[in-house]
Amino acid sequence: METRRRVWWCMTVFDVGAELTFGRPVLWPAGGFDVALPLNVHDWQLTASSAKNPDESQENTLYSALRVYATLYLAIVPIYARMTSKPYPLAEELIALICRDSLETPTLALFWKYWNFKILMYLPFVARDMLHASRSNESQSGHSTPSQDRWLQEAKSTIMSTKDFWEQQERTRLGAWYAL
């Protein structure tokens, strides 16, 4: 049963991750399923003869990151669904719905997805502000709106984090994929 659960969450994490990364609508259901999160246990702790699930590990396992991604997606998919409905939520409402957790180096990709998600949140406000400025012939030089400032800050956070990761961490194919 745990293997099935892990496969389901792996497929879900890849699907939702790609949709959020590329700004596509999420087709994953925000509810209506009863698949528990994968257990944070080592493979060797589960056997065919296991009568019950082992206690979850307090250390990182092969499935720790999967569990973190799944938890993030459970939190943000309903928010993203709200963003793709009408009326678009206010910036203050979106900010209040998202909280930032500190994550270890192996889950930096989660931060990058988080910042990318916030960039997507502010994009309609930035586009609106720029369209308003162009229609009213206002000069954009040296003047920015609060939503543009937040949008640029999130982009800067992503760029600086990726730069630091690339300069300081061992380079792997998976790390390169997420960093790029």
Side-chain angles (χ1 to χ4, degrees):
M1 184 59 95
E2 181 62 20
T3 300
R4 291 178 183 166
R5 183 179 296 128
R6 290 172 175 176
V7 169
W8 192 88
W9 278 109
C10 280
M11 298 303 294
T12 299
V13 163
F14 280 121
D15 183 49
V16 174
E19 291 164 346
L20 291 173
T21 297
F22 298 114
R24 305 297 303 155
V26 174
L27 301 176
W28 186 66
F33 61 89
D34 60 356
V35 180
L37 291 173
L39 295 174
N40 188 40
V41 296
H42 296 284
D43 285 333
W44 58 265
Q45 293 175 288
L46 294 170
T47 65
S49 63
S50 296
K52 63 176 189 153
N53 289 333
D55 291 335
E56 295 209 39
S57 176
Q58 296 304 313
E59 61 186 22
N60 284 331
T61 69
L62 184 60
Y63 303 97
S64 298
L66 176 63
R67 189 174 171 94
V68 170
Y69 277 111
T71 303
L72 171 73
Y73 294 155
L74 284 171
I76 66 173
V77 164
I79 299 167
Y80 194 66
R82 174 76 176 91
M83 290 169 50
T84 57
S85 64
K86 293 197 180 219
Y88 195 84
L90 298 173
E92 294 81 13
E93 179 184 353
L94 291 171
I95 292 168
L97 292 172
I98 294 182
C99 63
R100 177 180 171 188
D101 296 327
S102 62
L103 303 170
E104 297 177 42
T105 302
T107 57
L108 268 173
L110 188 61
F111 270 130
W112 298 330
K113 287 178 183 289
Y114 170 77
W115 287 320
N116 185 64
F117 183 71
K118 289 175 74 176
I119 290 168
L120 289 172
M121 281 182 6
Y122 292 111
L123 189 57
F125 301 105
V126 171
R128 179 200 62 202
D129 294 342
M130 293 175 77
L131 184 61
H132 174 73
S134 70
R135 285 185 178 159
S136 62
N137 293 324
E138 293 177 13
S139 172
Q140 284 292 321
S141 60
H143 172 48
S144 63
T145 64
S147 54
Q148 288 171 334
D149 292 341
R150 288 291 294 238
W151 188 65
L152 288 170
Q153 182 57 45
E154 298 307 330
K156 181 180 178 181
S157 295
T158 304
I159 292 166
M160 295 307 296
S161 175
T162 343
K163 176 186 168 289
D164 292 343
F165 172 83
W166 198 249
E167 291 175 350
Q168 298 170 9
Q169 300 297 321
E170 178 181 338
R171 296 179 185 167
T172 64
R173 287 182 184 173
L174 185 61
W177 162 254
Y178 279 111
L180 296 175

